Amino acid sequence: MIFIENEHIIASFSAKGAELQSIKGTDSETEYMWSGNANYWAKFSPILFPIVGAIKYESYQFEGENYHLPRHGFARDMEFEYHHVNEQEIVFTLKHSEVTFKVYPFAFILSIRYKIHGASLCCTYEVSNPSDKELLFSIGAHPAFAAPLNKQGVYTDYYLLFNKDEEITFHHIIDNLISDNTTTIKLEEGKLPLTHELFYDDALVIKNLKSDSISILNTKNYNGLDFHFKDFPYFGIWAAKDADFVCLEPWCGIADGINHNQQLRDKEGIVFLEPNGEWQRTWQVTCF
């Protein structure tokens, strides 16, 4: 494992997928990330690139050519290069190659920068376009946080607290694609109680979230965390069936709609990056 640490937390990673796999308190040894139990879901915090979610028939067209990509893209399954900036910061990098060109006809440099300060971990996605052609991509986070934390209580002791929403409206997923069918949940004082049944029909996909901070708290005053994000137009909330975690997923991009024409340029949420351009977004988790 690769790690960075300070006097408050230690964060561990894998070079495969540049995946964050653990955040622990240095004194309490409280583990804030999901365990990766393969009986439920064997990942921890995959990076979704160059697409978020599924594309229709796992294929898309660009400039008259047909390409195939699996759900959430290829970055999460590829080996990243990495270097430590210092004991508290690390950067993982993935670049285009002959392998990626077979499924994705764009030159790119994707860097994932993790930095800790105090009891917070900051994750920044940096995308560079090294070519003289436009780069089309999506990117999203998928961190799974343990609930209960440190085996304190049970799943239903926990809830999500939204800092700006009084209700959330989510789109239903049909065959991995986004439908126009929606459900609205009223939030009492911004709270969404966690139940396993909440995710039995897949993720809650939200297009109009007002909040830029969601906290994982509980009714027993155990440990918790604050999750901050900015300028991500879509948000997913998910857990595997009956698993003791919840994923908080800010996205720049979204799965195809059920009526999508499979043209990459027409894909909802796609980011267009100009030649030689640079782009970045950041999310942060603060543990307590």
Side-chain angles (χ1 to χ4, degrees), residues 34 40-41 144-148 155 194 196 199 238-240 243-247:
W34 160 242
Y40 296 94
W41 188 59
F145 299 107
Y155 198 71
L194 288 181
H196 291 306
F199 307 109
W238 177 77
D244 285 342
F245 69 82
V246 60
C247 288

Side-chain angles (χ1 to χ4, degrees), residues 59-97:
S59 68
Y60 66 94
Q61 284 85 46
F62 181 74
E63 294 186 345
E65 297 292 331
N66 192 64
Y67 300 90
H68 295 270
L69 274 175
R71 191 180 190 189
H72 295 323
F74 51 70
R76 61 181 180 163
D77 296 316
M78 301 194 76
E79 290 289 326
F80 282 64
E81 297 180 355
Y82 67 91
H83 72 274
H84 282 86
V85 177
N86 51 52
E87 291 183 353
Q88 300 179 18
E89 185 175 0
I90 190 170
V91 179
F92 293 86
T93 303
L94 180 69
K95 299 180 181 179
H96 60 270
S97 66

Side-chain angles (χ1 to χ4, degrees), residues 49 74 80-81 91-97 100-101 104 106-112 125-131 135 137 139 273 276-280:
F49 179 90
F74 51 70
F80 282 64
E81 297 180 355
V91 179
F92 293 86
T93 303
L94 180 69
K95 299 180 181 179
H96 60 270
S97 66
T100 65
F101 278 135
Y104 181 64
F106 300 95
F108 68 89
I109 303 172
L110 170 63
S111 295
I112 314 298
Y125 302 138
E126 302 171 348
V127 181
S128 299
N129 182 358
S131 80
L135 167 60
F137 71 94
I139 192 166
L273 183 59
N276 302 305
E278 297 183 349
W279 179 99
Q280 69 176 36

Side-chain angles (χ1 to χ4, degrees), residues 183-197:
T183 295
T184 298
I185 301 175
K186 299 290 184 180
L187 305 177
E188 184 177 345
E189 298 181 335
K191 298 178 181 179
L192 176 65
L194 288 181
T195 65
H196 291 306
E197 293 80 7

